[in-house]
C-alpha cells in the first residue's frame, strides 16, 4: 500500500477543547464520541489512517469522509445527517380502556 500522508483536519483551539469535552462526557452518544476521537486523531501529525481505522473499528473511507465533512461543517459534522424518506409520525392515542389505573 502507498500510505500517502493524510490531509489532516485543522482544528482551532476552541474546536479541540469542544472535541475533548465531547470525548470525556459520558452522556454523549458513542457514535458522536467516536467521530470526535477520529477528528482529534486526524489533527495530529503522523496519524496513519489504516491504524486509526483498526483502532476505532471504522473503515478507512469512512474516516476520510468524516474529515472532509468536518472541513465543510465543523463541529456539526459529528451529528448524524438527516435521513431520506418520509418523517415518522406518531398516531394519536386511542381511548383509554382502564380509566381507574391510567393504563392504555
Amino acid at each position: 500500500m502507498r500510505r500517502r500522508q493524510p490531509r489532516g483536519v485543522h482544528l482551532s483551539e476552541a474546536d479541540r477543547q469542544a472535541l475533548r469535552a465531547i470525548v470525556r462526557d459520558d452522556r454523549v452518544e458513542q457514535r458522536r464520541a467516536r467521530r470526535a476521537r477520529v477528528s482529534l486523531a486526524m489533527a495530529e501529525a503522523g496519524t496513519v489512517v489504516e491504524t486509526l481505522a483498526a483502532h476505532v473499528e471504522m473503515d478507512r473511507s469512512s474516516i476520510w469522509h468524516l474529515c472532509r465533512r468536518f472541513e465543510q461543517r465543523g463541529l456539526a459534522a459529528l451529528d448524524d445527517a438527516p435521513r431520506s424518506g418520509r418523517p415518522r409520525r406518531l398516531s394519536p392515542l386511542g381511548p383509554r380502556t382502564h380509566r381507574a389505573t391510567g393504563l392504555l
Side-chain angles (χ1 to χ4, degrees):
M1 283 190 224
R2 294 185 300 178
R3 285 207 182 180
R4 63 187 166 128
Q5 187 66 22
R7 189 176 89 208
V9 177
H10 300 288
L11 299 175
S12 66
E13 190 56 38
D15 285 345
R16 282 184 196 275
Q17 290 177 356
L19 289 171
R20 287 182 187 132
I22 289 170
V23 169
R24 284 191 307 259
D25 191 359
D26 292 338
R27 296 169 292 166
V28 172
E29 293 177 330
Q30 289 303 304
R31 62 180 167 228
R32 193 164 194 259
R34 182 185 330 166
R35 292 173 188 154
R37 271 191 232 95
V38 168
S39 299
L40 282 170
M42 288 303 290
E44 300 296 324
T47 299
V48 178
V49 176
E50 190 171 327
T51 307
L52 178 63
H55 182 69
V56 295
E57 297 179 355
M58 286 177 74
D59 190 48
R60 289 184 340 221
S61 61
S62 298
I63 291 176
W64 288 114
H65 181 70
L66 176 63
C67 291
R68 301 301 74 87
R69 218 168 74 178
F70 194 88
E71 285 177 349
Q72 295 170 356
R73 299 183 0 196
L75 291 174
L78 302 179
D79 298 327
D80 287 342
R83 301 289 179 204
S84 63
R86 188 177 79 190
R88 288 184 177 183
R89 286 190 335 179
L90 295 176
S91 60
L93 292 175
R96 290 186 174 180
T97 57
H98 296 28
R99 293 262 181 214
T101 60
L103 300 175
L104 296 176

